[in-house]
Amino acid sequence: MELKSTLSRLYWLFCQFELITCSYLMEPWEKVLFYSFNLAMLGLLLYTTYVCLAFHTSSAFQLLCSFLGNPRGNSLSVVK
């Protein structure tokens, strides 16, 4: 019973998406292009977020380690 209500909810959300984007007016080949483009953009956004988040987390961790007394590649020691 739970699966049926979940599927009907997802179908309702998809219908809302089609109404908002007016994609229900498109021909099938146009829908394929439209949804492919949207999925590609979503994939690129998620990938970029993952890469940038990993880079910033790594940088923040290195900065935190240098503040706690474990300097790795401290630029001031190179200058002196």
Side-chain angles (χ1 to χ4, degrees):
M1 195 65 165
E2 183 75 24
L3 181 64
K4 186 176 180 182
S5 64
T6 304
L7 289 177
S8 66
R9 175 74 175 161
L10 285 175
Y11 179 72
W12 182 81
L13 287 172
F14 180 73
C15 288
Q16 291 296 313
F17 172 76
E18 280 194 330
L19 285 172
I20 290 170
T21 60
C22 295
S23 61
Y24 67 95
L25 297 173
M26 296 179 184
E27 294 182 16
W29 67 271
E30 292 174 325
K31 281 186 179 185
V32 168
L33 288 176
F34 179 71
Y35 293 147
S36 299
F37 178 77
N38 285 336
L39 286 176
M41 289 297 114
L42 180 65
L44 287 173
L45 178 70
L46 291 175
Y47 176 74
T48 305
T49 302
Y50 170 74
V51 169
C52 289
L53 188 64
F55 175 73
H56 288 298
T57 303
S58 173
S59 296
F61 182 68
Q62 287 178 357
L63 183 65
L64 181 64
C65 285
S66 69
F67 284 150
L68 294 177
N70 185 8
R72 285 198 276 175
N74 193 350
S75 61
L76 291 178
S77 64
V78 174
V79 174
K80 290 181 182 180

